[in-house]
Amino acid sequence: MNQEPPPQGRGAPVGRRVFLGTLALGALGVAAAPPLQRGMETLLGNAAQKDPTGLTGLLPNGGGFRYYSVTSSVPHRSATDYRLTVDGLVDHPRSYTLADLKALPQTRLVKDVQCVTGWRVPQTPFEGVRLSALLDAAGVRAEAGAVRFTCFDGAYSESLTLDQARRADVLVALRMQDEDLGHNHGGPVRLYVAPMYFYKSAKWLSGITVTEDVRPGYWEKRGYDVDAWVGRSNGRDDDPTT
Ligand SMILES: Nc1nc2c(c(=O)[nH]1)N[C@H]1C(S)=C(S)[C@@H](COP(=O)(O)O)O[C@H]1N2
Ligand SMILES: [Mo]
């Protein structure tokens, strides 16, 4: 498991001490680990003490990505048992199978992935169904103003305004780097919000609910910006003190 460190910027509600406390708790589990793994954990622990924000940099997920999950385990969903529900303030709520989603027109985008903690993966292809197409098919009601996303990890959530959700560069992604999305990257289906920090791109997507107002997502309740446009001051990225 690898959680996004809490935001360290000005006015962040969750401070450095809380994060270090979490690391210390994690170390309690190390005693039970086999020697090889224990060495690795110790290394991580030392590095983390010098630079808590650098912890995730030591855990590559392949191709420059870091694996993130706020839960310690996530159930697997196969092509046959995966479902994506679209509901809320819509005229035609429905549930999509993976085959349903694959049968819809696919859009491919190639842009930089940018995590708010500073790591970046340049020119990464994502492919999937435009979120706007699913919203149009559902018939969004006049009183709607936002979209909420939920995940089958049972914990993560995200949100967008309806205007943001209707952008052409927001996908319900089935493929990444020209391969079917693997479990660790949020497969079989994740949200991909190209113009925003990667925490917006909810992995293991299972629910799209049209709502009246924006409901802040998992990290947003813990201090991250709800409008997460890349380039705005948001976390450490452009903070000269870190
Ligand atoms: N369900 C879920 N989605 C998530 C997260 C998470 O912890 N759980 N972390 C977010 C963050 S902070 C990042 S940087 C990316 C990481 O995606 P990756 O694991 O494919 O690199 O997923 C985002 N989506
Ligand atoms: Mo992130």
Side-chain angles (χ1 to χ4, degrees), residues 4-9 53 116-118 224 234-240 242:
E4 186 96 334
Q8 309 264 313
T53 69
V116 73
T117 59
Y224 280 8
N234 190 344
R236 288 164 292 277
D237 235 0
D238 49 1
D239 183 346
T242 54

Side-chain angles (χ1 to χ4, degrees), residues 4-5 68 114-117 119 156 197-200 219 224:
E4 186 96 334
Y68 280 92
Q114 179 71 59
C115 172
V116 73
T117 59
W119 57 271
Y156 205 73
Y197 285 108
F198 208 28
Y199 65 84
K200 279 287 178 183
W219 281 117
Y224 280 8

Side-chain angles (χ1 to χ4, degrees), residues 103-117:
L104 294 170
Q106 307 289 306
T107 298
R108 185 172 179 273
L109 302 172
V110 184
K111 294 173 186 293
D112 294 356
V113 161
Q114 179 71 59
C115 172
V116 73
T117 59

